[in-house]
């Protein structure tokens, strides 16, 4: 069973930076798309950023464009989210995801989440 393990969350002041990491365990193939989502209290989970294999395709939520950067490590089958100029509204639980298709069908994996809190 594939597992995604997030790390790097924490408490930071507004204007600060954090770097989230997502390491995959027991994955036997390169994920088509890896991304980061977040869910704030009382809100739905939303896409923050995602990247296709090789970084050819990247999508960002408008609210994080220019502040967050997603990168991938093809060898480790992992993903990272560099978050700069953090704002209180970035406070949420951040989840790593990996999705795509193989000959056996589609897959969509999620991590357990890491808490990010930004104080004003």
């Amino acid at each position: 069973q594939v597992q995604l393990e997030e790390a790097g969350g924490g408490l930071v002041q507004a204007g600060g930076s954090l770097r989230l990491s997502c390491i995959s365990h027991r994955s036997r193939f390169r994920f088509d798309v890896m991304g980061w989502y977040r869910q704030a209290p009382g809100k739905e989970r939303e896409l923050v950023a995602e990247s296709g294999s090789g970084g050819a395709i990247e999508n960002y939520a408008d609210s994080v464009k220019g502040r967050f950067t997603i990168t991938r490590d093809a060898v480790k089958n992992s993903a990272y989210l560099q978050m700069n100029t953090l704002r209180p509204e970035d406070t949420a639980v951040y989840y790593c995801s990996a999705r795509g298709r193989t000959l056996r069908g589609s897959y969509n994996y999620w991590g357990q989440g890491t808490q990010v809190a930004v104080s004003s």
Side-chain angles (χ1 to χ4, degrees):
Q1 180 73 14
V2 173
Q3 289 186 339
L4 302 178
E5 180 182 5
E6 302 105 331
L11 174 63
V12 65
Q13 288 187 334
S17 298
L18 285 173
R19 184 174 184 260
L20 305 183
S21 62
C22 174
I23 307 300
S24 64
H25 299 285
R26 292 188 288 277
S27 59
R28 297 183 179 183
F29 51 88
R30 185 180 300 178
F31 300 131
D32 293 337
V33 179
M34 294 192 75
W36 289 94
Y37 288 73
R38 67 186 181 187
Q39 187 166 18
K43 296 187 177 181
E44 294 185 353
R45 189 174 297 188
E46 64 174 358
L47 173 68
V48 176
E50 64 180 2
S51 174
S53 180
I57 299 175
E58 291 185 352
N59 293 316
Y60 291 91
D62 289 341
S63 60
V64 307
K65 285 181 180 178
R67 300 188 299 123
F68 291 9
T69 302
I70 184 171
T71 55
R72 293 183 61 174
D73 184 324
V75 175
K76 297 180 179 180
N77 215 10
S78 59
Y80 306 88
L81 186 68
Q82 178 66 43
M83 305 186 294
N84 298 327
T85 320
L86 282 160
R87 305 167 179 169
E89 53 264 39
D90 294 319
T91 295
V93 177
Y94 283 70
Y95 298 91
C96 176
S97 76
R99 60 182 174 84
R101 292 187 61 85
T102 68
L103 294 176
R104 295 186 178 183
S106 62
Y107 60 88
N108 190 3
Y109 304 120
W110 292 92
Q112 293 297 310
T114 184
Q115 177 72 52
V116 171
V118 184
S119 62
S120 58

